[in-house]
Amino acid sequence: MRTSFQSGLLLASMMAPLASAERVVGAYIFARHGDRTAKVSGNTELTDLGYREVFDAGSFYNARYINNSSAKYIEGISSNVVNLTQVQASAPVDAVLQNSGTGFLQGVYPPVGATMGSMKLANGTTVQSPLQGYQLIPLSVVGDGDDSEDSSWLQGTTNCPQATVSSNNYFLSSQYMELLSSTNDFYHSLSPMLTAAFNESSTNFLNAYEIFDYLNVARIHNSSANFPHSDLLNDSVYHQLLTLANAHEYGLAYNKSEPVRAIAGAILAGEILEGLNDTITGAGELLGLQFGSYGTFLSFFGLMQLPKASIDFTGIPDYASSFVLELVTDAPGTGMPDTDEINVRFTFHNGTLTGSDEPVAYPLFGTSNVLMSWSDFVSETQKIAVTDDTNLCGMCGLTTGSCATSSSSASSTADDSSSGSGGISRPVAGVIGAMVTLAVILGLEAVFFLIGGFTIAKRRKHGAVESSTGAMTEDKK
Ligand SMILES: *[C@@H]1O[C@H](CO)[C@@H](O)[C@H](O)[C@H]1NC(C)=O
Ligand SMILES: *[C@@H]1O[C@H](CO)[C@@H](O)[C@H](O)[C@H]1NC(C)=O
Ligand SMILES: *[C@@H]1O[C@H](CO)[C@@H](O)[C@H](O)[C@H]1NC(C)=O
Ligand SMILES: *[C@@H]1O[C@H](CO)[C@@H](O)[C@H](O)[C@H]1NC(C)=O
Ligand SMILES: *[C@@H]1O[C@H](CO)[C@@H](O)[C@H](O)[C@H]1NC(C)=O
Ligand SMILES: *[C@@H]1O[C@H](CO)[C@@H](O)[C@H](O)[C@H]1NC(C)=O
Ligand SMILES: *[C@@H]1O[C@H](CO)[C@@H](O)[C@H](O)[C@H]1NC(C)=O
Ligand SMILES: *[C@@H]1O[C@H](CO)[C@@H](O)[C@H](O)[C@H]1NC(C)=O
Ligand SMILES: *[C@@H]1O[C@H](CO)[C@@H](O)[C@H](O)[C@H]1NC(C)=O
Ligand SMILES: *[C@@H]1O[C@H](CO)[C@@H](O)[C@H](O)[C@H]1NC(C)=O
């Protein structure tokens, strides 16, 4: 009896992993660019270090999702030669983000070598592809309200007027006012390090991110000969600069009371929802990838209520950080299971993934379980995501360009508190409130320009359609 009990246990323990073996049936990765030059110097570029970082992160995901001996192999995805119907990658029009995307993809699908990277022609000649079977993966352009890495101002290139108004409201908040005055002496004590890039009147909390960024870049790249007074940047000063930059940028990226401020995250959420849904219905990719900047991360983190899981989500993610939304199932067999057997899991890693690093799973929307059913994920995400142009035009207050065609709905949403499916509240309480705010802001902006706080940068314009509202569409073809 004892023996049969033991063998029963043994059998159960052998069966258990089989019965509960989780299958990954799709994933969507969002990643930050790697190390780059300082924003304040303009013409921002990905550095060799940054290229290395994104390549390493991409290689990690190759081992995790593409290699068919991995426990997290995405079922059915091609393991060596990329199948372009299975992978969709996109990035905004920006040199740092586009190059980061390319470098990352080189890691996800590395060169296949001379044998696989060759083909035989009709006349019997064998040709080899360049660079040991380097794999070409198109990177489409997303105009997702993202900022260009050249822009020093978070909403400067979103083409979403209401988001700009909302972010500007941050400069009227008591949090901002208090930090501006309480940190004045701190910033001025750092002036000796900053004189090459900031004058006295711009050495304050208004430029919290640009100052942190400039010194962070110097800390990584400049020898002491190239970094006068670098001794002032000790660990506690660095940490203080980081903490202040985090508060400043999170303030610009997200405010629970003003959803439009997080427009970049709302558009990303809509794209992720569409991508994962296409995976499930078989209409699209198995692996989606998008590259973006910290502003989009912070807006998305706020909307997904990740700060409830960890307060660290109110901080700027390090270079080459990435998060993934995985579609997983415990249903046995192969192939796409019924939607009620699919769960979504969010995992994040702060900074470059290498070696034994493991992304950490966090619960979304203030729940306590890292697995969320697909239907709950859909209904929660639809509350915060931008899922169509009409929705976007209304939220942003746009009535021209591609929004003109839906102008009747755009103007009618001016009084609505939500649109049909999304339930997104109008950000600014009433037209009068918005006009007053705008007037105050225009005055404030004039002051900012006078004191040289920041400039509103123009989007780079190589290639893509950058018409005023065209860039705001969530088209990701
Ligand atoms: C896949 O992973 C296994 C185990 O980690 C490793 O031995 C193998 O080299 C990997 N294959 C490729 C093509 O990277
Ligand atoms: C796993 O991938 C390798 C190429 O990396 C391929 O040769 C092999 O056939 C695949 N195995 C299965 C079971 O698909
Ligand atoms: C590429 O992937 C699609 C969808 O998974 C599949 O139908 C097709 O057969 C694949 N093509 C090749 C050449 O394997
Ligand atoms: C075979 O065709 C390729 C491509 O058209 C050409 O470059 C090559 O010279 C041809 N080889 C011979 C032996 O004709
Ligand atoms: C958030 O929005 C509310 C309502 O518009 C505003 O009172 C508050 O100052 C804002 N907070 C920040 C930090 O922007
Ligand atoms: C770091 O070096 C660059 C290039 O020499 C220079 O432009 C920049 O001002 C330096 N940064 C600091 C903080 O000194
Ligand atoms: C860092 O520098 C600040 C300002 O000079 C100083 O007050 C602080 O004691 C220093 N901290 C450390 C750990 O050296
Ligand atoms: C998923 O796609 C199907 C088919 O296109 C569509 O009917 C459904 O509304 C989509 N669901 C979501 C959540 O987008
Ligand atoms: C990532 O690390 C930075 C410090 O390097 C921190 O400020 C931020 O809060 C961290 N974010 C998360 C989500 O862990
Ligand atoms: C400070 O620098 C900004 C440019 O960063 C410039 O526009 C402004 O005029 C300067 N202010 C003074 C007082 O020199």
Side-chain angles (χ1 to χ4, degrees), residues 310-325:
S310 165
I311 195 67
D312 290 344
F313 283 104
T314 58
I316 297 164
D318 293 339
Y319 294 140
S321 289
S322 51
F323 68 74
V324 186
L325 286 144

Side-chain angles (χ1 to χ4, degrees), residues 134-406:
Y134 178 89
Q135 309 209 50
L136 297 167
I137 301 177
L139 199 52
S140 54
V141 169
V142 275
D144 70 344
D146 208 333
D147 52 316
S148 134
E149 280 307 302
D150 259 0
S151 171
S152 58
W153 163 232
L154 205 60
Q155 305 277 17
T157 52
T158 57
N159 292 328
C160 181
Q162 290 294 1
T164 308
V165 169
S166 176
S167 279
N168 275 321
N169 280 343
Y170 174 65
F171 297 111
L172 303 172
S173 70
S174 53
Q175 186 208 79
Y176 174 77
M177 296 296 186
E178 277 158 27
L179 283 172
L180 180 66
S181 64
S182 67
T183 60
N184 204 39
D185 292 347
F186 171 68
Y187 280 106
H188 280 281
S189 74
L190 307 177
S191 290
M193 282 188 291
L194 298 170
T195 47
F198 298 88
N199 56 30
E200 280 293 311
S201 50
S202 47
T203 306
N204 57 43
F205 182 64
L206 174 65
N207 292 307
Y209 184 72
E210 287 74 19
I211 291 171
F212 165 75
D213 184 55
Y214 176 66
L215 294 175
N216 186 44
V217 168
R219 197 165 92 131
I220 296 169
H221 293 280
N222 290 21
S223 65
S224 54
N226 264 338
F227 193 171
H229 304 284
S230 57
D231 54 305
L232 289 173
L233 190 63
N234 64 26
D235 286 351
S236 64
V237 167
Y238 178 84
H239 187 75
Q240 178 75 354
L241 283 166
L242 172 66
T243 307
L244 289 166
N246 282 347
H248 191 273
E249 298 305 292
Y250 192 71
L252 291 174
Y254 180 75
N255 181 330
K256 192 172 188 292
S257 313
E258 299 189 7
V260 74
R261 192 174 302 184
I263 191 74
I267 294 173
L268 175 63
E271 286 165 348
I272 291 176
L273 186 62
E274 189 187 341
L276 292 177
N277 188 49
D278 284 351
T279 302
I280 291 173
T281 62
E285 71 271 19
L286 294 174
L287 175 64
L289 304 108
Q290 191 175 139
F291 304 92
S293 48
Y294 69 81
T296 308
F297 275 90
L298 292 179
S299 295
F300 184 84
F301 290 164
L303 292 172
M304 302 307 266
Q305 299 178 43
L306 282 158
K308 286 186 181 160
S310 165
I311 195 67
D312 290 344
F313 283 104
T314 58
I316 297 164
D318 293 339
Y319 294 140
S321 289
S322 51
F323 68 74
V324 186
L325 286 144
E326 290 174 342
L327 295 175
V328 298
T329 183
D330 285 335
T334 56
M336 193 60 68
D338 288 345
T339 48
D340 59 9
E341 294 194 283
I342 297 176
N343 286 314
V344 179
R345 185 197 286 119
F346 171 91
T347 64
F348 173 77
H349 184 77
N350 206 355
T352 309
L353 278 156
T354 50
S356 59
D357 286 339
E358 272 292 315
V360 178
Y362 295 91
L364 298 171
F365 299 112
T367 60
S368 54
N369 195 333
V370 296
L371 287 178
M372 178 172 249
S373 72
W374 171 248
S375 61
D376 286 352
F377 177 79
V378 169
S379 58
E380 290 296 325
T381 304
Q382 280 174 339
K383 288 180 196 160
I384 55 94
V386 166
T387 50
D388 63 45
D389 282 356
T390 312
N391 198 324
L392 188 67
C393 296
M395 257 184 115
C396 290
L398 290 168
T399 52
T400 57
S402 67
C403 286
T405 54
S406 57

Side-chain angles (χ1 to χ4, degrees), residues 48-197:
D48 289 342
L49 171 63
Y51 183 12
R52 183 83 234 170
E53 289 169 345
V54 292
F55 177 79
D56 285 348
S59 303
F60 176 90
Y61 287 113
N62 168 277
R64 192 175 184 84
Y65 294 128
I66 309 297
N67 184 322
N68 59 16
S69 55
S70 159
K72 280 186 168 286
Y73 167 68
I74 297 173
E75 199 177 286
I77 202 163
S78 177
S79 291
N80 39 50
V81 179
V82 65
N83 176 334
L84 293 180
T85 63
Q86 296 178 339
V87 178
Q88 288 282 330
S90 55
V93 180
D94 175 82
V96 173
L97 295 173
Q98 292 267 328
N99 282 350
S100 291
T102 302
F104 190 100
L105 289 167
Q106 286 176 352
V108 175
Y109 273 106
V112 285
T115 312
M116 265 188 277
S118 66
M119 68 180 350
K120 202 166 184 179
L121 304 178
N123 66 11
T125 307
T126 297
V127 282
Q128 279 176 0
S129 65
L131 304 170
Q132 284 78 47
Y134 178 89
Q135 309 209 50
L136 297 167
I137 301 177
L139 199 52
S140 54
V141 169
V142 275
D144 70 344
D146 208 333
D147 52 316
S148 134
E149 280 307 302
D150 259 0
S151 171
S152 58
W153 163 232
L154 205 60
Q155 305 277 17
T157 52
T158 57
N159 292 328
C160 181
Q162 290 294 1
T164 308
V165 169
S166 176
S167 279
N168 275 321
N169 280 343
Y170 174 65
F171 297 111
L172 303 172
S173 70
S174 53
Q175 186 208 79
Y176 174 77
M177 296 296 186
E178 277 158 27
L179 283 172
L180 180 66
S181 64
S182 67
T183 60
N184 204 39
D185 292 347
F186 171 68
Y187 280 106
H188 280 281
S189 74
L190 307 177
S191 290
M193 282 188 291
L194 298 170
T195 47

